[in-house]
Amino acid sequence: MDLDKEVGAVDISVEEKNVSVEGDGVLEPYVGMEFDSEDAARKFYIEYARRIGFVVRIMQRRRSGIDGRTLARRLGCNKQGFSPKHRSTIGPDKKPRSSAREGCKATILVKMEKSGKWVVTRFEKDHNHPLVVTANGFSTAGDKDKKIEELTKELERQEQLCAVYREKLLSFMNNVEEQTEELSSKIQVIVDNVRKVESEVQKFSHRR
C-alpha cells in the first residue's frame, strides 16, 4: 500500500501524554529514532504535536501479506491535503464550509525492523500554517470548539434526564396526594358510620 495516500485517515485527540523531554524543551523525532512498538511511536508523536501546537492525523499503514501485521505507519498534521469541493447539481451552489485542510506536509513514517523495533525512516518537520500551543492542552481553536460542543450536548442530555426525573417525581407526588385524599375520604366515611351507630345506640338506651 502507498503510505503517501490519504485513504482512511483519522484525526486523533492530542490528550495522550507519555513521552520523555529534555529539560524544558521538546524532544523532536529524527530519522533513525527507535521505539519498542508502534503504539509507543504514535504516543510520542501525539505528545510532540501537543507540545508544538498541532493535531495529529493517523494515516496509512502497510500490512504484512502473510499474517496481516502492521509493518509501517504514517502519521501527520491534520491539515494535510485539501478537502474536496462539493457543488450542488440542482439549484444554486451551497456556501462551502470552512476546511481544516491546508496542504501541510508535516509527517512522520515509522517502520518495523527485523529486530522488532520501530524506526523513524522519514520526518517532515515544517508546517505551512501557524502552530498554536495553549495552556489548556488544546492545540487549535477547532479542538476547543469541538470540546465545547461535546460538553454542551452532554449538558443538554443531562437536562433532559433531569426533566424526565422531575416529571416522574411530580407524578409520584400527585399520585400520593390522590391516594391520601381517597384514604381520608374513606376514613371520614368510617368515622361518620361510627358516629351514626353511636347515636343509634344512645337512642335505643334512652328508650329502655
Side-chain angles (χ1 to χ4, degrees):
M1 178 185 290
D2 185 359
L3 295 181
D4 288 332
K5 293 182 179 179
E6 293 194 8
V7 179
V10 177
D11 290 345
I12 190 164
S13 169
V14 294
E15 296 183 0
E16 298 183 61
K17 303 178 180 178
N18 296 319
V19 66
S20 59
V21 295
E22 297 176 343
D24 294 331
V26 177
L27 180 60
E28 289 186 350
Y30 56 87
V31 174
M33 191 175 192
E34 293 185 347
F35 299 93
D36 290 333
S37 65
E38 177 195 354
D39 187 59
R42 178 177 59 84
K43 288 182 177 180
F44 172 86
Y45 193 65
I46 289 171
E47 177 64 12
Y48 165 74
R50 187 186 71 83
R51 290 175 176 272
I52 293 299
F54 69 96
V55 178
V56 171
R57 188 172 180 81
I58 302 298
M59 310 187 84
Q60 288 67 46
R61 62 179 172 180
R62 180 164 58 86
R63 292 176 177 270
S64 167
I66 299 175
D67 55 16
R69 289 184 305 163
T70 300
L71 300 178
R73 169 71 76 178
R74 190 164 74 95
L75 306 96
C77 177
N78 75 324
K79 293 184 180 294
Q80 281 207 9
F82 297 94
S83 297
K85 294 181 179 180
H86 299 284
R87 291 183 176 274
S88 174
T89 56
I90 301 177
D93 292 345
K94 294 182 179 180
K95 184 178 180 180
R97 294 185 300 175
S98 59
S99 172
R101 306 290 190 90
E102 297 183 14
C104 183
K105 299 295 184 182
T107 187
I108 188 174
L109 177 63
V110 290
K111 294 182 179 180
M112 185 175 69
E113 300 291 336
K114 292 181 179 180
S115 63
K117 294 285 187 179
W118 283 75
V119 180
V120 177
T121 60
R122 179 184 176 188
F123 173 53
E124 295 290 341
K125 174 183 176 180
D126 296 333
H127 296 257
N128 67 344
H129 56 88
L131 301 178
V132 182
V133 179
T134 59
N136 60 15
F138 296 103
S139 294
T140 66
D143 287 338
K144 187 175 181 180
D145 292 341
K146 184 177 180 181
K147 189 64 177 180
I148 291 174
E149 182 180 356
E150 291 175 354
L151 292 174
T152 300
K153 289 181 179 179
E154 178 63 19
L155 179 60
E156 291 175 353
R157 191 178 73 86
Q158 294 298 331
E159 288 178 345
Q160 290 175 355
L161 285 175
C162 184
V164 170
Y165 293 146
R166 186 185 298 112
E167 184 177 350
K168 288 184 177 181
L169 179 60
L170 291 175
S171 176
F172 173 77
M173 293 177 65
N174 290 334
N175 189 35
V176 169
E177 185 176 352
E178 290 175 359
Q179 291 183 358
T180 301
E181 291 178 355
E182 182 179 355
L183 183 60
S184 298
S185 298
K186 290 181 178 180
I187 292 175
Q188 186 62 46
V189 170
I190 294 173
V191 170
D192 292 341
N193 289 336
V194 170
R195 288 176 178 174
K196 184 177 180 180
V197 171
E198 289 177 345
S199 177
E200 292 294 332
V201 169
Q202 289 178 357
K203 288 180 181 180
F204 181 76
S205 298
H206 289 315
R207 288 177 182 177
R208 294 180 60 185

